[in-house]
Amino acid sequence: MPASAHDPYYADISDSPRLVLHLEFGEILALERCLKLDGHLAPLARGDLLPELTDAVVSHQAFLGRQYPVPDARLDAANGRPLTYLVEYPGTAADQNAWHAFYVSHHPQIMAKFPGIRRIEIFTPAVVISELPLVARTAMQRNITVFDSADAMNAAMLSPVRDEMRRDFMNFPPFEGGNTHYPFHTLTVVPSS
């Protein structure tokens, strides 16, 4: 669910989606079974899974995720609900492979220096077949960083690491579409089987 947090380079990060579901699958065929007309995600497309969001535009995009090491991945539950900072690059680059290669060889290594960072994951698009009438998103990339709480993220964003991230951003290969930044309170649900 949307959270309030502060990033000095993005003054207004409050206009976020009302809900983000991050579903992880061990294989793409398992995801595609859920995206069939009679699949587990069909109620979401019909609007009956979350009645309070019946007026919402439901969109989806499949990604391959890559986790990067952090000094300490243990969440401190005493600090409140974890905060996920979702960054999306909705546009495109002239040479997407070069863009991704530059990004993954620089940015996650800098992110790992954030005080209190618990997780870094970078997502690149995967082709998925869906039978559901969902709006297909076409982001070039998404990333998440996870902190113990909004306060922990705020402290990290005030560290010199945030300025180092900005300097690295200024060296990205050319791309269009900008980026969006959304902080979310995170609830993790792990199936019992």
Side-chain angles (χ1 to χ4, degrees), residues 92-163:
T92 188
D95 184 340
Q96 286 196 21
N97 191 64
W99 194 92
H100 290 301
F102 180 91
Y103 192 101
V104 300
S105 64
H106 293 92
H107 234 46
Q109 295 78 3
I110 299 170
M111 290 178 203
K113 298 177 189 177
F114 273 129
I117 193 159
R118 303 301 187 201
R119 183 175 179 177
I120 300 167
E121 196 161 1
I122 297 173
F123 304 94
T124 53
V127 175
V128 65
I129 300 166
S130 172
E131 295 179 357
L132 300 178
L134 300 170
V135 174
R137 298 179 69 86
T138 58
M140 175 173 63
Q141 181 177 297
R142 281 191 180 166
N143 324 319
I144 60 169
T145 51
V146 177
F147 299 90
D148 288 332
S149 64
D151 289 341
M153 181 196 142
N154 291 342
M157 293 300 125
L158 293 175
S159 74
V161 177
R162 186 63 186 97
D163 295 326

Side-chain angles (χ1 to χ4, degrees), residues 87-91 99 103 107 139-141 143 169 172 175 178-179:
V87 177
E88 181 178 75
Y89 294 86
W99 194 92
Y103 192 101
H107 234 46
M140 175 173 63
Q141 181 177 297
N143 324 319
F169 171 81
F172 283 6
F175 72 102
N179 52 47

Side-chain angles (χ1 to χ4, degrees), residues 31-76:
L31 168 59
E32 290 179 342
R33 282 191 296 274
C34 289
L35 292 169
K36 290 192 173 290
L37 291 174
D38 61 350
H40 290 298
L41 294 176
L44 187 63
R46 289 191 306 265
D48 15 316
L49 188 61
L50 299 166
E52 63 275 14
L53 297 178
T54 55
D55 63 335
V57 174
V58 180
S59 62
H60 77 99
Q61 187 171 0
F63 291 94
L64 299 172
R66 295 164 181 84
Q67 283 195 26
Y68 290 83
V70 295
D72 184 1
R74 295 171 299 161
L75 284 167
D76 182 356

Side-chain angles (χ1 to χ4, degrees), residues 172-189:
F172 283 6
F175 72 102
E176 297 175 355
N179 52 47
T180 57
H181 294 69
Y182 303 120
F184 287 96
H185 291 296
T186 305
L187 171 65
T188 301
V189 178

